[in-house]
Each structure stands twice: as C-alpha cells, then as structure tokens.
Amino acid sequence: MHSSTVFLIEFGAIILALGLLGRFAGRLRFSPIPLYLLAGLAFGRGGLLPLGASEEFIAVGAEIGVILLLLMLGLEYTASDLVTNLKAHYPAGVVDCVLNALPGAALALLLGWGPVAAVVLAGVTWISSSGVIAKILGDLGRIGNRETPVVLSILVLEDLSMAVYLPILTALVAGIGLAAGGVTLAIALGAASLVLVLAVRYGRHISRFVSSDDPEKLLLVVLGLTLLIAGLAQQVQVSAAVGAFLVGIALSGEVAEGAYSLLAPLRDLFAAVFFVFFGLNTDPASIPPVLLPALGLAVVTALTKIATGYWAAGRAGVGPRARWRAGGTLVARGEFSIVIAGLAVTDGIEPSLGPLATAYVLILVLLGPLTARYTEPAASRLSRRLRRPVPANGKAGTSGREPHEPLDDQDSVGRA
C-alpha cells in the first residue's frame, strides 16, 4: 500500500509539473521539449529529487509515447504517399547516411576506440529522433508544409535502415559469427517488408476492420492494433516506431480522422512522459568530462543534418525557405541514438561511449527545437543582407525582398 501511495504522489507530481511547464512554454511560443528533458534530469539519477516507485511505469509510458507519436504522424499520410515519397527521396537517405554517420565514426577512431565503437557512434550521429521531430512538427504547426514529406521520408528511411543496422551492430558487439548475424538480418528484413506490403496493399481492408461509429470502440481497436504491431515488430528486431507508423498510414478516410482526434490527448501525455524518461536516465555528473567532444560533434552533425535537409528539399523542388526549415527540423537526435549506444555499453565496448552519447543527444535534443524554429528566419535574414544591392552612395538599400524570392513555401500537402 505504501509503495502504491508513493507512486501516485510521484507520478501525479510529474504530470502536474509537465502541465505547468507546457503552459509556460506555450506563453513563450516555444516547444516544451527542452523543459521536459530538464525536468527529467532534476528527477533522475544524481538529480535534485530522484524517483523510485514510479520509474518503471514511466519507462513503459515513455515507450508508448514514442509509438503514439509515430502513429499520429502516419495518420497524416496515405500508403500511396509513403511509396511515392520513398521512391522519390531514397537518394536523400544515402546522402543522409554518408554526411551524418561519418563524423561519428571518425571521432571514435580519432579517440582510439576501435572499429566496433566507430560503427556504434556512426549510428548515434546518423539517426535523427523520429519522436522528437514528430513532436516539433506538431508544436510548430508544420504537418501540412511542403517540406514535411521530405523530412518524413528521411525519417522513415532511417527507421527502416535500422532493420539492417541493428542486427549487424548486435552481431558486432556480441562477437557472434556471420551465419548467426545473417539469420537475424534476414528475419528483420522479412518482417519489415511484410508489414510494409500489408500496409500498402491492404490498407482499405484494415480501415474497414477498424472502423466504428462508437468512439470508445474505435479508440480501443486502433490503440490495441498499434501496440500489437509495434510489439511484434520489435520482437523481430524491427523498430516499434516503424510498426506504429505503418499502422498509421494503413488507416485512411474517416477512420484516420476519428482516430487522430481521439488519440491526440493520449499522444501529448505519453510523449511528455517519454522526454522526462530520457532525462531520468541521464546522470548529470557524467556529462562534464565528455562535454567538449560531445559539443564539437553536435555542432558538426547539426550542420550536416541541415545540409542534408536543404539538399533533399531542394531536390524535391520546394523553395529556399522550406529547404532551410527541412534542414533545421532534422537536427534532433534521441531515442534511437540512446538505444544504439546502450548496446555497446552493455557489452563493455568502451566506457566513455555511453556518457559521450548521452551528452551528445542531450545537446541536440535541446538544440533541435531551436534549429527547427530559427534556421529558416536566420538564413533568410542573412541572405537578404548578402543580396541587398548597394547604391552609389555606398549605403545598403532598404528593399526587404528580392524580386524572385517566393512569398511562402507553406503549401499544405497532408492527408486530404
């Protein structure tokens, strides 16, 4: 009884604090994600007020939060949207991997950590946080922007790449043979392909099965189906986030609209819990020794992510302002980076890798909402200053916009 009482007090205090932080961030018109993370640091190991009874429940809630974030993002797009975007943007996935994995691998080799640690840190710096970026897109009202399909395609390609990367990494850190690693990889690829085929070819049948005029039944069926598919995907080493996203795209029409409105409050609650949980698992004392290399790596890979988004959005034919927004939105790292680093830490690959990865992710998950919001305005302002014509008297002109500069790149392209 005492344990359950402590749990209610702790969890209630956390939810209340999150609500107050969210209101504070709303007044400042700022994403609440950094505040949620700092709250997690305050309540976590080595923080001001460590938790006990509610930590296990928060861990489960955090996983549900990531699943709901990706489900809701999937509900914004149809299966045909996904196939079209993947076919159109797969070169961006290659560029994304090259530009963002190499800095992590290079740093690990420079520090003398060896090739296995280099593969680990390459994954940490390569994969953007689908959960954080999904929340950012919602907070900034950019779900329907022209650049969002490009961002979404890169995230999906990254998540699907985990079906290949994680089995290989698991084999490397465990030191198992090529045969066993190949079997694990084949199972993961087969499972991911099966889920994708079902979502694309049988989406209408799934929507018909899920459909209900009763909101309660619709909520239970959609939530249960999502958690089931996510769990099965994770069981065969495919990302639970990929499973949840594919469930979202498989649903269409009135079912998607009804599920979205019903699940939105649950998403907001559990997404906040996810960011708190991330902070809970970070010991503030482990950050200072690795802060300098983590900061340098964060700056380099923030720039490479911005370059990736800018190039990919430009290839898709969107305007300059949308290209900068796409790049800034991709900067945040999060859940996958921590999972990747955790595999290496568990097997004792390199003691300093865990704290470095934690500091790196914390920096970029705090920086991500800022780059998403301010990269485009800063780039536009700088571009106008550089292009502003200088009259004969030597003073800069006062014209605010170039003759051929687009007025806006925010055409809506989401689910009809």
Side-chain angles (χ1 to χ4, degrees), residues 244-401:
F245 178 79
L246 293 177
V247 170
I249 65 155
L251 303 178
S252 59
E254 294 181 1
V255 173
E257 295 175 4
Y260 193 98
S261 61
L262 291 171
L263 288 167
L266 284 177
R267 175 202 59 186
D268 294 338
L269 170 61
F270 285 105
V273 171
F274 161 70
F275 297 116
V276 169
F277 178 73
F278 185 85
L280 287 175
N281 285 274
T282 304
D283 184 357
S286 67
I287 294 178
V290 294
L291 187 58
L292 189 59
L295 183 60
L297 187 62
V299 171
V300 171
T301 53
L303 294 176
T304 55
K305 276 291 181 183
I306 291 173
T308 298
Y310 187 91
W311 181 85
R315 184 176 178 275
V318 300
R321 294 173 59 188
R323 296 178 200 175
W324 289 114
R325 286 198 299 269
T329 302
L330 287 168
V331 166
R333 273 51 161 209
E335 60 276 7
F336 266 137
S337 298
I338 294 301
V339 169
I340 292 167
L343 290 174
V345 171
T346 301
D347 287 87
I349 298 300
E350 172 57 48
S352 299
L353 200 155
L356 175 65
T358 300
Y360 168 81
V361 171
L362 186 61
I363 291 169
L364 286 184
V365 84
L366 291 170
L367 184 64
L370 298 176
T371 58
R373 188 180 183 91
Y374 297 113
T375 296
E376 181 265 318
S380 297
R381 191 175 297 113
L382 179 62
S383 177
R384 285 196 296 269
R385 287 185 178 181
L386 293 176
R387 295 180 180 180
R388 186 173 295 169
V390 179
N393 59 11
K395 295 182 180 180
T398 58
S399 175
R401 185 181 299 276

Side-chain angles (χ1 to χ4, degrees), residues 64-362:
I64 294 174
V66 176
I67 290 171
L68 289 178
L69 283 169
L70 270 295
L71 169 65
M72 301 291 280
L73 198 58
L75 289 173
E76 291 288 338
Y77 298 91
T78 65
S80 59
D81 291 334
L82 176 67
V83 173
T84 301
N85 289 331
L86 290 180
K87 287 181 178 179
H89 301 301
Y90 76 89
V94 176
V95 172
D96 178 41
C97 178
V98 172
L99 288 183
N100 296 286
L102 286 180
L107 179 63
L109 294 176
L110 287 174
L111 293 173
W113 289 355
V116 176
V119 174
V120 174
L121 200 55
V124 171
T125 58
W126 170 24
I127 305 298
S128 296
S129 171
S130 299
V132 174
I133 291 171
K135 186 70 167 64
I136 290 172
L137 289 172
D139 288 341
L140 297 179
R142 294 182 180 175
I143 293 295
N145 281 20
R146 288 194 64 200
E147 75 275 6
T148 298
V150 178
V151 172
L152 182 61
S153 298
I154 292 174
L155 294 178
V156 172
L157 286 168
E158 288 180 349
D159 286 347
L160 291 175
S161 298
M162 289 296 97
V164 179
Y165 174 81
L166 287 178
I168 294 175
L169 180 62
T170 302
L172 286 175
V173 299
I176 65 176
L178 291 176
V183 171
T184 303
L185 177 60
I187 293 173
L189 288 176
S193 301
L194 176 62
V195 173
L196 184 58
V197 168
L198 289 175
V200 172
R201 292 191 177 181
Y202 303 104
R204 292 182 180 178
H205 300 288
I206 295 173
S207 296
R208 192 177 298 116
F209 168 75
V210 171
S211 179
S212 175
D213 295 330
D214 188 336
E216 178 183 351
K217 293 183 178 65
L218 179 61
L219 174 62
L220 292 175
V221 172
V222 172
L223 183 59
L225 179 64
T226 302
L227 294 177
L228 176 62
I229 296 298
L232 291 174
Q234 191 160 286
Q235 187 69 26
V236 292
Q237 299 190 32
V238 180
S239 165
V242 171
F245 178 79
L246 293 177
V247 170
I249 65 155
L251 303 178
S252 59
E254 294 181 1
V255 173
E257 295 175 4
Y260 193 98
S261 61
L262 291 171
L263 288 167
L266 284 177
R267 175 202 59 186
D268 294 338
L269 170 61
F270 285 105
V273 171
F274 161 70
F275 297 116
V276 169
F277 178 73
F278 185 85
L280 287 175
N281 285 274
T282 304
D283 184 357
S286 67
I287 294 178
V290 294
L291 187 58
L292 189 59
L295 183 60
L297 187 62
V299 171
V300 171
T301 53
L303 294 176
T304 55
K305 276 291 181 183
I306 291 173
T308 298
Y310 187 91
W311 181 85
R315 184 176 178 275
V318 300
R321 294 173 59 188
R323 296 178 200 175
W324 289 114
R325 286 198 299 269
T329 302
L330 287 168
V331 166
R333 273 51 161 209
E335 60 276 7
F336 266 137
S337 298
I338 294 301
V339 169
I340 292 167
L343 290 174
V345 171
T346 301
D347 287 87
I349 298 300
E350 172 57 48
S352 299
L353 200 155
L356 175 65
T358 300
Y360 168 81
V361 171
L362 186 61

Side-chain angles (χ1 to χ4, degrees), residues 1-13 51-54:
M1 181 64 71
H2 174 72
S3 177
S4 63
T5 302
V6 173
F7 161 74
L8 290 175
I9 293 173
E10 288 183 350
F11 192 63
L51 299 178
S54 61

